[in-house]
mmCIF file of all heavy atoms in Angstrom:
data_model
loop_
_atom_site.group_PDB
_atom_site.id
_atom_site.type_symbol
_atom_site.label_atom_id
_atom_site.label_comp_id
_atom_site.label_asym_id
_atom_site.label_seq_id
_atom_site.Cartn_x
_atom_site.Cartn_y
_atom_site.Cartn_z
ATOM 1 N N PHE S 28 15.054 1.476 9.494
ATOM 2 C CA PHE S 28 13.747 1.307 8.738
ATOM 3 C C PHE S 28 12.652 0.707 9.798
ATOM 4 O O PHE S 28 11.641 1.257 9.934
ATOM 5 C CB PHE S 28 13.807 0.458 7.519
ATOM 6 C CG PHE S 28 12.563 0.353 6.749
ATOM 7 C CD1 PHE S 28 12.068 1.290 5.833
ATOM 8 C CD2 PHE S 28 11.712 -0.747 6.894
ATOM 9 C CE1 PHE S 28 10.907 1.236 5.125
ATOM 10 C CE2 PHE S 28 10.546 -0.963 6.255
ATOM 11 C CZ PHE S 28 10.158 0.034 5.321
ATOM 12 N N VAL S 29 13.026 -0.407 10.415
ATOM 13 C CA VAL S 29 12.201 -1.018 11.300
ATOM 14 C C VAL S 29 11.870 -0.232 12.550
ATOM 15 O O VAL S 29 10.701 -0.021 12.982
ATOM 16 C CB VAL S 29 12.836 -2.395 11.783
ATOM 17 C CG1 VAL S 29 12.033 -3.022 12.943
ATOM 18 C CG2 VAL S 29 12.904 -3.368 10.609
ATOM 19 N N ARG S 30 12.888 0.491 13.009
ATOM 20 C CA ARG S 30 12.616 1.396 14.175
ATOM 21 C C ARG S 30 11.723 2.519 13.792
ATOM 22 O O ARG S 30 10.838 2.905 14.597
ATOM 23 C CB ARG S 30 13.900 1.946 14.668
ATOM 24 C CG ARG S 30 14.714 0.916 15.549
ATOM 25 C CD ARG S 30 15.870 1.510 16.223
ATOM 26 N NE ARG S 30 16.550 0.511 17.037
ATOM 27 C CZ ARG S 30 17.898 0.489 17.176
ATOM 28 N NH1 ARG S 30 18.636 1.364 16.621
ATOM 29 N NH2 ARG S 30 18.455 -0.471 17.822
ATOM 30 N N ARG S 31 11.842 3.062 12.638
ATOM 31 C CA ARG S 31 11.010 4.169 12.211
ATOM 32 C C ARG S 31 9.519 3.727 12.049
ATOM 33 O O ARG S 31 8.651 4.555 12.371
ATOM 34 C CB ARG S 31 11.477 4.745 10.896
ATOM 35 C CG ARG S 31 10.707 5.922 10.417
ATOM 36 C CD ARG S 31 11.291 6.615 9.245
ATOM 37 N NE ARG S 31 12.691 7.190 9.594
ATOM 38 C CZ ARG S 31 13.366 7.726 8.665
ATOM 39 N NH1 ARG S 31 13.083 7.891 7.431
ATOM 40 N NH2 ARG S 31 14.603 8.265 9.040
ATOM 41 N N PHE S 32 9.264 2.529 11.619
ATOM 42 C CA PHE S 32 7.934 2.105 11.244
ATOM 43 C C PHE S 32 7.358 1.050 12.206
ATOM 44 O O PHE S 32 6.214 0.639 11.938
ATOM 45 C CB PHE S 32 7.847 1.693 9.768
ATOM 46 C CG PHE S 32 8.168 2.683 8.797
ATOM 47 C CD1 PHE S 32 9.294 2.780 8.113
ATOM 48 C CD2 PHE S 32 7.146 3.696 8.604
ATOM 49 C CE1 PHE S 32 9.627 3.800 7.178
ATOM 50 C CE2 PHE S 32 7.474 4.807 7.683
ATOM 51 C CZ PHE S 32 8.647 4.822 7.018
ATOM 52 N N GLN S 33 8.052 0.589 13.202
ATOM 53 C CA GLN S 33 7.609 -0.591 13.971
ATOM 54 C C GLN S 33 6.261 -0.269 14.699
ATOM 55 O O GLN S 33 5.422 -1.077 14.801
ATOM 56 C CB GLN S 33 8.574 -1.109 14.903
ATOM 57 C CG GLN S 33 9.088 -0.148 15.985
ATOM 58 C CD GLN S 33 10.278 -0.605 16.812
ATOM 59 O OE1 GLN S 33 10.809 -1.728 16.547
ATOM 60 N NE2 GLN S 33 10.643 0.064 17.759
ATOM 61 N N ARG S 34 6.073 1.031 15.216
ATOM 62 C CA ARG S 34 4.925 1.287 16.016
ATOM 63 C C ARG S 34 3.630 1.348 15.083
ATOM 64 O O ARG S 34 2.641 0.862 15.415
ATOM 65 C CB ARG S 34 5.011 2.651 16.779
ATOM 66 C CG ARG S 34 5.966 2.440 18.003
ATOM 67 C CD ARG S 34 5.903 3.766 18.783
ATOM 68 N NE ARG S 34 6.761 3.519 19.981
ATOM 69 C CZ ARG S 34 7.665 4.308 20.379
ATOM 70 N NH1 ARG S 34 7.950 5.416 19.688
ATOM 71 N NH2 ARG S 34 8.315 4.103 21.465
ATOM 72 N N ILE S 35 3.813 2.006 13.858
ATOM 73 C CA ILE S 35 2.692 2.170 12.944
ATOM 74 C C ILE S 35 2.279 0.821 12.426
ATOM 75 O O ILE S 35 1.067 0.451 12.380
ATOM 76 C CB ILE S 35 2.987 3.146 11.864
ATOM 77 C CG1 ILE S 35 1.696 3.366 11.044
ATOM 78 C CG2 ILE S 35 4.071 2.828 11.049
ATOM 79 C CD1 ILE S 35 0.641 4.142 11.729
ATOM 80 N N VAL S 36 3.254 -0.016 12.047
ATOM 81 C CA VAL S 36 2.935 -1.332 11.521
ATOM 82 C C VAL S 36 2.299 -2.189 12.596
ATOM 83 O O VAL S 36 1.283 -2.858 12.285
ATOM 84 C CB VAL S 36 4.273 -2.035 10.933
ATOM 85 C CG1 VAL S 36 3.981 -3.456 10.571
ATOM 86 C CG2 VAL S 36 4.692 -1.241 9.702
ATOM 87 N N PHE S 37 2.795 -2.211 13.805
ATOM 88 C CA PHE S 37 2.177 -2.924 14.854
ATOM 89 C C PHE S 37 0.793 -2.438 15.168
ATOM 90 O O PHE S 37 -0.125 -3.159 15.271
ATOM 91 C CB PHE S 37 2.983 -2.883 16.092
ATOM 92 C CG PHE S 37 2.365 -3.516 17.258
ATOM 93 C CD1 PHE S 37 2.374 -4.995 17.322
ATOM 94 C CD2 PHE S 37 1.793 -2.885 18.315
ATOM 95 C CE1 PHE S 37 1.713 -5.663 18.456
ATOM 96 C CE2 PHE S 37 1.171 -3.514 19.445
ATOM 97 C CZ PHE S 37 1.128 -4.953 19.456
ATOM 98 N N GLY S 38 0.607 -1.067 15.215
ATOM 99 C CA GLY S 38 -0.638 -0.503 15.450
ATOM 100 C C GLY S 38 -1.707 -0.924 14.306
ATOM 101 O O GLY S 38 -2.886 -1.180 14.611
ATOM 102 N N VAL S 39 -1.290 -1.030 13.088
ATOM 103 C CA VAL S 39 -2.195 -1.467 12.025
ATOM 104 C C VAL S 39 -2.643 -2.836 12.221
ATOM 105 O O VAL S 39 -3.737 -3.196 12.186
ATOM 106 C CB VAL S 39 -1.563 -1.270 10.646
ATOM 107 C CG1 VAL S 39 -2.311 -1.972 9.540
ATOM 108 C CG2 VAL S 39 -1.309 0.232 10.229
ATOM 109 N N ALA S 40 -1.644 -3.673 12.476
ATOM 110 C CA ALA S 40 -1.929 -5.036 12.698
ATOM 111 C C ALA S 40 -2.827 -5.263 13.927
ATOM 112 O O ALA S 40 -3.708 -6.115 13.921
ATOM 113 C CB ALA S 40 -0.659 -5.877 12.907
ATOM 114 N N LEU S 41 -2.528 -4.599 14.999
ATOM 115 C CA LEU S 41 -3.384 -4.690 16.213
ATOM 116 C C LEU S 41 -4.778 -4.269 15.948
ATOM 117 O O LEU S 41 -5.712 -4.842 16.457
ATOM 118 C CB LEU S 41 -2.690 -3.940 17.418
ATOM 119 C CG LEU S 41 -3.438 -4.087 18.724
ATOM 120 C CD1 LEU S 41 -3.443 -5.544 19.161
ATOM 121 C CD2 LEU S 41 -2.663 -3.228 19.808
ATOM 122 N N ALA S 42 -4.910 -3.122 15.232
ATOM 123 C CA ALA S 42 -6.254 -2.638 14.996
ATOM 124 C C ALA S 42 -7.146 -3.613 14.200
ATOM 125 O O ALA S 42 -8.294 -3.693 14.509
ATOM 126 C CB ALA S 42 -6.142 -1.259 14.234
ATOM 127 N N VAL S 43 -6.509 -4.314 13.312
ATOM 128 C CA VAL S 43 -7.228 -5.330 12.509
ATOM 129 C C VAL S 43 -7.499 -6.582 13.225
ATOM 130 O O VAL S 43 -8.672 -7.155 13.167
ATOM 131 C CB VAL S 43 -6.573 -5.486 11.152
ATOM 132 C CG1 VAL S 43 -7.251 -6.633 10.354
ATOM 133 C CG2 VAL S 43 -6.444 -4.239 10.333
ATOM 134 N N THR S 44 -6.447 -7.152 13.829
ATOM 135 C CA THR S 44 -6.537 -8.416 14.503
ATOM 136 C C THR S 44 -7.105 -8.406 15.892
ATOM 137 O O THR S 44 -7.679 -9.391 16.308
ATOM 138 C CB THR S 44 -5.146 -9.120 14.571
ATOM 139 O OG1 THR S 44 -4.294 -8.443 15.428
ATOM 140 C CG2 THR S 44 -4.539 -9.268 13.210
ATOM 141 N N GLY S 45 -6.882 -7.362 16.584
ATOM 142 C CA GLY S 45 -7.376 -7.186 17.991
ATOM 143 C C GLY S 45 -6.615 -8.088 18.953
ATOM 144 O O GLY S 45 -6.981 -8.236 20.195
ATOM 145 N N ASP S 46 -5.438 -8.593 18.606
ATOM 146 C CA ASP S 46 -4.619 -9.480 19.449
ATOM 147 C C ASP S 46 -3.131 -9.107 19.306
ATOM 148 O O ASP S 46 -2.671 -9.200 18.285
ATOM 149 C CB ASP S 46 -4.952 -11.002 19.022
ATOM 150 C CG ASP S 46 -4.002 -11.923 19.857
ATOM 151 O OD1 ASP S 46 -4.236 -12.090 20.986
ATOM 152 O OD2 ASP S 46 -3.080 -12.555 19.211
#
Side-chain angles (χ1 to χ4, degrees):
F28 182 85
V29 171
R30 284 189 179 145
R31 184 172 293 176
F32 293 107
Q33 65 189 2
R34 286 190 177 127
I35 185 72
V36 170
F37 177 77
V39 168
L41 184 60
V43 174
T44 64
D46 176 68

